[in-house]
Amino acid sequence: MPTKNKTLRIPTPDGQADAFAAFPDGGGRHPGVLMYPDGFGIRPVLRRMARELAGHGYYVLVPNVFYRHGPAPVIELPEYIGEEARPAVFARLMPLIEAHTIDRTLRDADAYLGFLTARSAVGAGPVGVTGYCIGGLLATRTAAAHPDRVAALAAFHAPVGADGAGALAGITTRVHFGHAESDLTPDALRELNRALDAAKVDHTSEIYPGTVHGFTMSDTDAFDPAALRLHWDRLLPLLYRALSDRAERK
């Protein structure tokens, strides 16, 4: 499906968040998806992923979650984020991540969801939320805080359990968590899945074999093409089941 894209500015309680939006060409209303980027932020690889998802019939909004520190790219990034570049990049990035508190996350989530659902090209009803790395944690917090506004949650190579088992209790959406093998041991996966079961979350949660943190990102050494395909194989059916009846597609 052909797509269009644009750069937008999202009003928030703390200022204006720049964002990238991708959506099907040709008009109509489409299910909305809020896509949280990884810590490296909006850049060509995230724009490509947003456009690919939009090509399946979704209006995809990718916010710059670190907008308080400036427009994307907030920090200077090499075209390819290899191992030799990572120490310098993370030295600049970690203070931004540490400053992005739960309170900030929730204030922003309310603004992002309100902005997304107000777009004329977005159909009525709940949206999907997905995220990568730290963005997966932000997506999880968003779904837990807004069960009436989020119908599907996906997170990949993300610290989804960082806020503790109790934080998962508010999630009422369909969920998929795709973990990097380097991020989670089998015992940790079983513990996380027990917490999801206890919270009665409708979920799939699995380790993608042979992967390291960041496996979806083609501009890093962590990239794994097979795992990226598996990510789409899990994400697209999840969104379709949760959102297919939410809007008219063209």
Side-chain angles (χ1 to χ4, degrees), residues 97-196:
I97 293 175
E98 291 166 359
H100 201 74
T101 61
I102 294 177
D103 184 58
R104 284 186 173 183
T105 300
L106 298 183
R107 290 203 306 274
D108 289 346
D110 187 62
Y112 299 157
L113 290 172
F115 184 87
L116 175 59
T117 55
R119 300 305 91 201
S120 61
V122 174
V127 303
V129 181
T130 186
Y132 305 89
C133 182
I134 186 65
L137 176 58
L138 304 186
T140 302
R141 289 172 176 171
T142 299
H146 297 282
D148 57 330
R149 301 168 76 180
V150 177
L153 163 66
F156 301 92
H157 46 85
V160 295
D163 295 336
L168 303 172
I171 297 174
T172 61
T173 68
R174 290 175 172 147
V175 173
H176 175 71
F177 293 148
H179 310 284
E181 192 172 281
S182 66
D183 287 346
L184 210 63
T185 66
D187 285 345
L189 176 66
R190 282 190 286 272
E191 182 177 351
L192 172 64
N193 290 348
R194 280 195 295 268
L196 291 166

Side-chain angles (χ1 to χ4, degrees), residues 186-229:
D187 285 345
L189 176 66
R190 282 190 286 272
E191 182 177 351
L192 172 64
N193 290 348
R194 280 195 295 268
L196 291 166
D197 288 336
K200 296 182 170 54
V201 177
D202 180 3
H203 72 279
T204 57
S205 173
E206 62 184 313
I207 293 172
Y208 287 20
T211 56
V212 297
H213 183 78
F215 58 77
T216 60
M217 297 297 150
S218 61
D219 60 351
T220 74
D221 286 343
F223 180 55
D224 185 320
L228 177 63
R229 288 193 297 272

Side-chain angles (χ1 to χ4, degrees), residues 26-146:
R29 304 178 74 201
H30 307 276
V33 177
L34 176 60
M35 177 185 282
Y36 284 103
D38 63 354
F40 299 137
I42 301 172
R43 59 196 193 281
V45 66
L46 262 298
R47 295 187 184 96
R48 287 195 299 272
M49 293 173 75
R51 286 193 293 265
E52 181 162 352
L53 183 54
H56 290 273
Y58 300 97
Y59 188 109
V60 184
L61 181 68
V62 188
N64 168 21
V65 300
F66 299 134
Y67 68 89
R68 294 172 180 85
H69 305 276
V74 179
I75 63 172
E76 184 178 353
L77 292 171
E79 184 175 341
Y80 186 83
I81 309 167
E83 285 302 317
E84 69 285 348
R86 292 176 75 87
V89 170
F90 273 94
R92 297 191 296 271
L93 181 61
M94 288 310 298
L96 308 187
I97 293 175
E98 291 166 359
H100 201 74
T101 61
I102 294 177
D103 184 58
R104 284 186 173 183
T105 300
L106 298 183
R107 290 203 306 274
D108 289 346
D110 187 62
Y112 299 157
L113 290 172
F115 184 87
L116 175 59
T117 55
R119 300 305 91 201
S120 61
V122 174
V127 303
V129 181
T130 186
Y132 305 89
C133 182
I134 186 65
L137 176 58
L138 304 186
T140 302
R141 289 172 176 171
T142 299
H146 297 282

